[in-house]
Amino acid sequence: MVHTLADVLPSVGSSFDLAGPNLLGVEPNRDVVVLLIDGLGAELVARHAEIAPTLNSRVGHVLQAGFPATTATSLTSLAVGAPCAVHGVIGYSFAVPQPDGPRTLNALRWTLDTAQGSDARDVVDPERTQPSQSRLQAMAEHGVEVHYVVPGYQARSGLTRAAFRATGVVHPAATLDELRDGILAVARHDGPGRRFAYAYYTDLDMNGHIHGPESPEWLTVLADVDRFVADLFTDLPSTCTLLITGDHGMISAGTIIDLDAAPDLHRGVRQIAGEARVRHVYLNDRAALDDVAEAWRGVLGSHARVVTREQAFDDQWFGSAVPTADIAARIGDVIAVAEGETVLVRPAAEPMESTMRGHHGAWTADEQLVPLVTNR
């Protein structure tokens, strides 16, 4: 059986005696911390066992991130315990209805139109955009004290509100030292009350995007993370279970295709969203669906797999659940998924993203597989 990120928190909840499956076999303990290292891909870590010996020696499961393998989707799947067909955060960016017509929501930053666009929290309500109860809410209702060990800006971000939903004690942490202090503050207490903490660290992903995965800069951060984990395993009390995972892996950009330089890709197209490895294409008129899909296949050839929304649903790309009409409408009429190391960039519309050396989102093992590391 293939386990996914969406199995982690139901398993933690089960260890706290909540109803639900414990597919990952998390043993009961007083406290549990789930630490997500952004960009911690299982294949990447395994190729560098000499740099990350602690992480490699303590992998209990290899999980599938889910499609698309991107932070906004993965964090929500983790928090809700379900794939994006259920929770509706279907990618890095996607179309949402607005009074003046559909616009693009950047779900990672919760901004409109671009990553640098206007704050969308007041116009695209996070709690309504993602309507499902999170597993953190269920734990809180069950008497588990919820904590967050995250960069301060994330505490009330649109994505945090959409995905995690539960209020809790915030321990601001941007560096590994701050992360350690926050996790130990959660775990070192004398009371009988149970605690759950979600913790997050971003630097591995950031260096992968800027310099490329497996670059010297990325490997330096991986080594730092491994030493941090080894020390934390020593310092944590036996009453705390630590689970470490990632939201996706990463590939280095190879063939670069500028979507904006190909006029045939824009005929009949209203919006293009997503990211360089997975593109959502929205049409002016669905009557042109077959023509647009064929145009994209013709231009991209072997560099991308191009399907219609209906084909993606048939193949359960977004999970086995049937999405609501609102969630289905967020998915492109046509979806283009890059193959190999191809990236589908838009330098004019996405200048920052288009210069990145590392990317993720698609179906390769390097992008999809993440480890589940534990101290128990």
Side-chain angles (χ1 to χ4, degrees):
M1 180 178 181
V2 176
H3 298 301
T4 73
L5 270 179
D7 295 325
V8 174
L9 290 197
S11 297
V12 171
S14 179
S15 78
F16 282 136
D17 300 320
L18 276 73
N22 190 349
L23 298 177
L24 300 176
V26 178
E27 296 180 2
N29 207 352
R30 186 189 66 184
D31 306 318
V32 178
V33 175
V34 171
L35 167 60
L36 189 134
I37 305 293
D38 200 323
L40 190 72
E43 296 288 290
L44 294 169
V45 171
R47 288 204 291 270
H48 298 285
E50 76 287 355
I51 290 176
T54 302
L55 291 169
N56 274 281
S57 67
R58 302 301 290 269
V59 175
H61 297 275
V62 173
L63 310 176
Q64 190 163 350
F67 182 80
T70 196
T71 300
T73 302
S74 292
L75 295 193
T76 312
S77 296
L78 173 74
V80 174
C84 64
V86 173
H87 61 66
V89 181
I90 59 92
Y92 173 71
S93 68
F94 50 87
V96 293
Q98 288 294 286
D100 56 350
R103 295 176 68 179
T104 299
L105 174 71
N106 183 297
L108 184 65
R109 298 173 182 266
W110 219 264
T111 54
L112 283 176
D113 302 324
T114 69
Q116 293 78 34
S118 58
D119 188 333
R121 285 176 294 180
D122 290 338
V123 292
V124 183
D125 182 75
E127 289 82 3
R128 294 188 63 176
T129 301
Q130 195 294 99
S132 300
Q133 183 187 52
S134 78
R135 297 290 172 159
L136 285 80
Q137 287 175 299
M139 283 188 262
E141 291 173 0
H142 198 66
V144 178
E145 188 177 290
V146 173
H147 292 249
Y148 296 92
V149 187
V150 298
Y153 72 89
Q154 289 187 0
R156 292 297 297 165
S157 72
L159 180 59
T160 296
R161 286 172 50 190
F164 295 95
R165 303 175 73 92
T167 58
V169 180
V170 177
H171 308 261
T175 67
L176 287 174
D177 285 343
E178 291 169 345
L179 196 65
R180 175 187 178 278
D181 291 346
I183 291 172
L184 291 178
V186 172
R188 289 176 173 171
H189 66 102
D190 297 325
R194 298 168 301 174
R195 292 180 174 181
F196 170 78
Y198 165 72
Y200 173 88
Y201 185 65
T202 189
D203 282 15
L204 190 68
D205 178 74
M206 179 181 67
N207 277 272
H209 280 304
I210 295 171
H211 303 290
E214 302 180 273
S215 65
E217 294 84 355
W218 186 90
L219 291 171
T220 295
V221 178
L222 179 63
D224 290 343
V225 168
D226 195 76
R227 285 190 293 270
F228 158 83
V229 169
D231 290 344
L232 198 56
F233 280 176
T234 299
D235 294 340
L236 278 171
S238 61
T239 48
C240 182
T241 296
L242 175 64
L243 302 171
I244 303 167
T245 190
D247 51 347
H248 56 74
M250 193 174 286
I251 60 98
S252 294
T255 301
I256 299 173
I257 297 177
D258 182 350
L259 300 182
D260 292 334
D264 287 350
L265 298 181
H266 295 267
R267 293 190 178 96
V269 172
R270 185 189 75 231
Q271 286 170 270
I272 299 173
E275 58 193 300
R277 291 286 287 170
V278 178
R279 288 297 181 182
H280 291 272
V281 184
Y282 305 90
L283 307 188
N284 292 318
D285 184 349
R286 279 186 61 84
L289 179 63
D290 290 342
D291 291 340
V292 171
E294 281 305 310
W296 278 68
R297 292 185 188 113
V299 172
L300 298 180
S302 63
H303 293 296
R305 182 179 178 188
V306 177
V307 303
T308 65
R309 178 192 297 163
E310 290 74 21
Q311 289 172 308
F313 287 167
D314 287 345
D315 291 341
Q316 300 184 350
W317 281 14
F318 302 96
S320 59
V322 177
T324 65
D326 286 347
I327 290 174
R330 299 173 191 173
I331 296 168
D333 298 293
V334 173
I335 305 161
V337 183
E339 298 274 21
E341 295 183 340
T342 297
V343 290
L344 311 174
V345 301
R346 301 190 65 202
E350 300 168 352
M352 177 186 70
E353 296 93 326
S354 298
T355 63
M356 290 177 175
R357 300 189 65 179
H359 295 270
H360 52 78
W363 286 113
T364 69
D366 275 7
E367 295 162 278
Q368 279 286 330
L369 300 182
V370 296
L372 184 67
V373 174
T374 182
N375 66 330
R376 293 177 63 81

